[in-house]
Amino acid sequence: MASKLMDLVYWRSTSMTGVVFTGLVVCLASLFQLSAITVLSHICLGIMCVTFPLRLYYKLLELLRCNPGLHPFQAYLDYDSSLTDKETVMFVEEVVLLIAFAITELKRLLFIENVIDSLKFVLLLYLLTYVGVFTTGLTLIITAVIVLFSFPLLYKKQQVRIRRIVRTYKALEKKIRNWCLSVYETVRSSRPSAAASKALRSLQTESEGKVKQVSRTHMYTQ
């Protein structure tokens, strides 16, 4: 299953990928005007408008003794799309683990286990509010489908250029991170000196107070 999906995404079979990609985009775009039930019904009717006449044609050839009784879609009928017990268990385990991971991450972010991660999550949610104003979930799904079928082909053709851009971005990110760490270390190292200067000032004020008190007692004794 995964290998077939990779074949579709990487356009290893151009005709099959073109049919699947065009069908997905057209079906998703149809949902802007029609309901999902209507779109699904029209898809099934369109398929049957092709398969039903072809099946009748082969049946007619069989009656005329021009066809030895072959079914035009026997290959699709013989294709075993069922899952074995082991594959079913593995699939259910993966789904359960994915759901459990999502719930754990949401709890960690919502209940502030890590302040930095929660702040990033808040920033993401705030940006998504603006995304929701300008677009819809269906538009994002269509965009994701287009990116899924376009980016692997683009990466395959522009692999060297994309890797160069990624290396430049990583170097810039490393420089910014090092600069932030240096600023943080500088501020952190300057804190003890500030505390020491504050303690020195307090000692100076105490010594000045003691000197004034001694001078006053000396004046009173005179």
Side-chain angles (χ1 to χ4, degrees), residues 81-142:
S81 58
S82 60
L83 296 175
T84 61
D85 295 338
K86 185 178 179 180
E87 291 175 346
T88 304
V89 171
M90 290 177 60
F91 179 74
V92 172
E93 286 180 353
E94 290 179 358
V95 172
V96 171
L97 288 174
L98 183 61
I99 294 174
F101 175 75
I103 294 174
T104 304
E105 285 295 314
L106 280 176
K107 288 194 299 183
R108 190 178 67 84
L109 294 171
L110 292 176
F111 296 106
I112 323 298
E113 180 182 355
N114 190 315
V115 178
I116 303 299
D117 291 341
S118 296
L119 286 176
K120 292 178 181 178
F121 185 60
V122 169
L123 180 61
L124 176 63
L125 293 177
Y126 183 73
L127 293 176
L128 287 178
T129 57
Y130 285 97
V131 173
V133 172
F134 294 105
T135 186
T136 60
L138 188 58
T139 305
L140 293 178
I141 293 175
I142 295 175

Side-chain angles (χ1 to χ4, degrees), residues 53-67:
L54 191 59
R55 180 70 178 95
L56 291 178
Y57 174 71
Y58 270 73
K59 192 67 176 176
L60 179 61
L61 291 179
E62 183 181 353
L63 293 175
L64 295 176
R65 304 301 176 92
C66 297
N67 185 21

Side-chain angles (χ1 to χ4, degrees), residues 40-57:
L40 182 60
S41 301
H42 280 83
I43 291 173
C44 294
L45 286 173
I47 294 174
M48 293 190 69
C49 285
V50 176
T51 57
F52 205 88
L54 191 59
R55 180 70 178 95
L56 291 178
Y57 174 71

Side-chain angles (χ1 to χ4, degrees), residues 3 10 57 60 62 64 72 78 85 89 109 115 144 146 148 150 156 160 170 173 192 204 214 220-221:
S3 61
Y10 281 95
Y57 174 71
L60 179 61
E62 183 181 353
L64 295 176
D78 293 337
D85 295 338
V89 171
L109 294 171
V115 178
I146 294 174
L148 178 64
S150 301
K156 186 177 180 180
V160 177
K170 287 184 177 180
E173 182 184 3
Q204 288 178 353
V214 170
Y220 289 149
T221 55

Side-chain angles (χ1 to χ4, degrees), residues 158-202:
Q158 303 292 334
Q159 189 172 359
V160 177
R161 185 176 299 177
I162 292 175
R163 286 183 177 180
R164 190 183 301 119
I165 293 173
V166 170
R167 284 197 298 267
T168 304
Y169 172 76
K170 287 184 177 180
L172 180 62
E173 182 184 3
K174 187 176 181 180
K175 288 181 181 179
I176 294 174
R177 185 180 298 175
N178 292 333
W179 179 78
C180 293
L181 288 175
S182 63
V183 172
Y184 175 74
E185 292 295 333
T186 304
V187 173
R188 187 176 180 182
S189 61
S190 64
R191 285 180 181 176
S193 61
S197 62
K198 186 176 181 180
L200 182 62
R201 290 176 184 175
S202 62

